[in-house]
Amino acid sequence: KQEVTQIPAALSVPEGENLVLNCSFTDSAIYNLQWFRQDPGKGLTSLLLIQSSQREQTSGRLNASLDKSSGRSTLYIAASQPGDSATYLCAVRTGNTDKLIFGTGTRLQVFP
Amino acid sequence: GAVVSQHPSRVICKSGTSVKIECRSLDFQATTMFWYRQFPKQSLMLMATSNEGSKATYEQGVEKDKFLINHASLTLSTLTVTSAHPEDSSFYICSAPVTAQETQYFGPGTRLLVL
């Protein structure tokens, strides 16, 4: 059974810092991996999608890497801003279904 | 991007009553939709897969008679929490996949409080 874990569970940093959020999964046979952002009491917004054959994806200040063989992904946030404060969730899609298995989340707070 | 809506955004009900939550894909058709549940400061747990025109598929440990799912059209899935109890209080989120984009679009969620 696929299990997805995220470290750290919570993170509080001053703005301007570069951050690394970690995601690990137990079954390396994934179809793709996605990083989402969730603001309090809201739904999810997709940030980056990495296919199993890819090593990384970039969007603006965000860069996500994937090492499928070791079951790890990282989300790098450059020059963090208070507006980045949210919960970040990684999710893996396995096999031939659309099901997503979500990680435990990292609650990020960036203070001015 | 595609838009998924949910209604209501929040609901308070008395214990023992039933509550219906709607999930709509506004600008695309979805033969499949997913229902998730999220407790405070926890991650999303998949409850069931809603299939248009057929029975929903429930994840292990989710009571199908408690959480009734109906997917009557290509743009609407409903989740009914029957005989709700305080422990059913949670944040319920639906999503709909867009196969061509290999991603899912999520609704804004429904916060249910059972008194």
Side-chain angles (χ1 to χ4, degrees), chain A residues 63-106:
Chain A
N63 175 276
S65 67
L66 174 64
D67 184 345
K68 200 174 76 160
S69 61
S70 67
R72 294 173 187 240
S73 175
T74 61
L75 178 66
Y76 177 81
I77 303 176
S80 59
Q81 302 170 358
D84 295 330
S85 299
T87 295
Y88 291 81
L89 295 160
C90 68
V92 298
R93 178 181 163 189
T94 57
N96 204 23
T97 73
D98 288 319
K99 285 187 185 180
L100 293 178
I101 307 299
F102 279 86
T104 45
T106 294

Side-chain angles (χ1 to χ4, degrees), chain B residues 80-94:
Chain B
T80 301
V81 183
T82 62
S83 187
H85 291 285
E87 57 265 31
D88 298 324
S89 299
S90 188
F91 193 55
Y92 293 86
I93 305 178
C94 69

Side-chain angles (χ1 to χ4, degrees), chain A residues 1-6 23-27 71 92 101-103:
Chain A
K1 179 185 174 185
Q2 177 74 271
E3 292 184 4
V4 185
T5 307
Q6 290 182 244
C23 172
S24 60
F25 44 95
T26 55
D27 185 350
V92 298
I101 307 299
F102 279 86

Side-chain angles (χ1 to χ4, degrees), chain A residues 43-71:
Chain A
L44 276 66
T45 301
S46 179
L47 298 173
L48 289 165
L49 171 73
I50 310 178
Q51 300 293 352
S52 62
S53 59
Q54 296 176 325
R55 297 285 292 183
E56 67 176 345
Q57 282 288 331
T58 298
S59 176
R61 293 182 295 108
L62 304 179
N63 175 276
S65 67
L66 174 64
D67 184 345
K68 200 174 76 160
S69 61
S70 67

Side-chain angles (χ1 to χ4, degrees), chain B residues 10-11 15 17 22 33-34 58 78 87 92:
Chain B
R10 62 176 61 210
V11 56
S15 184
T17 61
E22 294 185 347
M33 292 184 177
F34 298 98
Y58 291 82
T78 60
E87 57 265 31
Y92 293 86

Side-chain angles (χ1 to χ4, degrees), chain A residues 32-37 43-49 91-94 97-102, chain B residues 1-4 23 25 28 30 32-36 44 46-50 93-107:
Chain A
N32 61 36
L33 182 145
Q34 230 170 324
W35 283 92
F36 292 89
R37 169 186 173 137
L44 276 66
T45 301
S46 179
L47 298 173
L48 289 165
L49 171 73
V92 298
R93 178 181 163 189
T94 57
T97 73
D98 288 319
K99 285 187 185 180
L100 293 178
I101 307 299
F102 279 86
Chain B
V3 178
V4 175
C23 177
S25 56
F28 66 102
T32 300
M33 292 184 177
F34 298 98
W35 285 97
Y36 296 86
L44 276 72
L46 179 64
M47 298 175 65
T49 303
S50 174
I93 305 178
C94 69
S95 72
V98 177
T99 304
Q101 298 178 23
E102 297 192 324
T103 189
Q104 295 181 20
Y105 288 89
F106 286 79

